[in-house]
Amino acid sequence: MLTDEPAVRNALLRMVMTLEENFHAREDLLQEAYVCFWSRTRQFPGQRLSWYLQSVNFYLHHFRASGRSLDSPKRRGAQAAFADDCDGRDDWLDSLDFDEGIMSEVNAHEIIDLLWNRLELPERKIFARLVEGMGTRQIGRTLHVSHQSVIRHRLKIAMTALTLGIAPVRVSSKSSP
């Protein structure tokens, strides 16, 4: 089978790596590439290897542009959010149960990975210490920078998070009856 050949596997991997930066999305896209390549060899036997690879390349570009996934770049702009003054918003948020299960951990890791890939080196160093639970003065001492510098970089991290749609957690000030 052609997909077992190292040259084909490397060509598909290079193709996917040029299309996608995120490691997890790259894995999914690589699976799509393998399935498409296998499907094309079955549908159109006897073609040149370059024809199959070009066909996969076209398919992957179309696949990414079609936005089949709910979290695709094409559909990201259509995500709905509650307005700050929306009736019932606080009641709805209070009804959410935050679990300590595996999905919470997976989601947290995905968010951290997404944010990490968008940060520059100084922000990455500070972000890593923030994730560890360090305060700004402690981070400043550890990295041998002023705490004001840490605060400036922390603001850049927050702005990057906001541009990715990661909203800050709002703590309810309601007292329980």
Side-chain angles (χ1 to χ4, degrees):
M1 192 176 254
L2 283 175
T3 53
D4 294 332
E5 291 185 27
V8 171
R9 295 176 77 83
N10 287 336
L12 293 175
L13 182 60
R14 279 193 313 272
M15 197 180 301
V16 167
M17 289 179 78
T18 59
L19 287 174
E20 183 60 50
E21 291 178 9
N22 184 308
F23 173 77
H24 302 290
R26 213 180 308 158
E27 285 181 329
D28 294 341
L29 205 57
L30 187 59
Q31 289 300 318
E32 286 289 332
Y34 284 135
V35 169
C36 179
F37 187 88
W38 176 81
S39 163
R40 296 295 195 264
T41 58
R42 294 284 181 225
Q43 289 176 332
F44 307 101
Q47 299 291 332
R48 290 181 162 197
L49 179 61
S50 62
W51 185 90
Y52 293 123
L53 291 173
Q54 187 176 26
S55 177
V56 170
N57 194 23
F58 289 146
Y59 171 79
L60 292 177
H61 277 87
H62 176 73
F63 180 79
R64 285 192 27 105
S66 70
R68 294 183 186 187
S69 170
L70 290 176
D71 62 347
S72 72
K74 178 179 179 181
R75 306 222 190 287
R76 189 166 291 140
Q79 291 176 348
F82 284 110
D84 285 337
D85 60 350
C86 178
D87 291 336
R89 177 182 181 275
D90 291 333
D91 297 333
W92 180 82
L93 286 175
D94 291 340
S95 71
L96 291 177
D97 291 328
F98 295 101
D99 66 344
E100 298 298 324
I102 187 72
M103 286 310 295
S104 294
E105 188 172 338
V106 168
N107 290 336
H109 284 286
E110 294 238 353
I111 290 169
I112 289 171
D113 185 51
L114 180 67
L115 184 55
W116 181 269
N117 290 331
R118 305 277 193 305
L119 298 176
E120 295 179 11
L121 185 60
E123 285 85 25
R124 283 184 178 185
K125 289 179 180 179
I126 291 169
F127 183 65
R129 273 120 185 129
L130 286 170
V131 170
E132 292 171 5
M134 294 176 122
T136 54
R137 291 187 186 274
Q138 190 178 10
I139 294 170
R141 282 191 298 271
T142 304
L143 298 176
H144 307 292
V145 296
S146 69
H147 75 279
Q148 290 93 354
S149 176
V150 173
I151 291 170
R152 280 193 303 273
H153 287 292
R154 197 174 85 185
L155 288 173
K156 287 182 184 178
I157 294 168
M159 292 306 295
T160 304
L162 287 173
T163 60
L164 293 172
I166 302 169
V169 176
R170 295 178 190 234
V171 180
S172 176
S173 61
K174 294 180 183 178
S175 60
S176 54

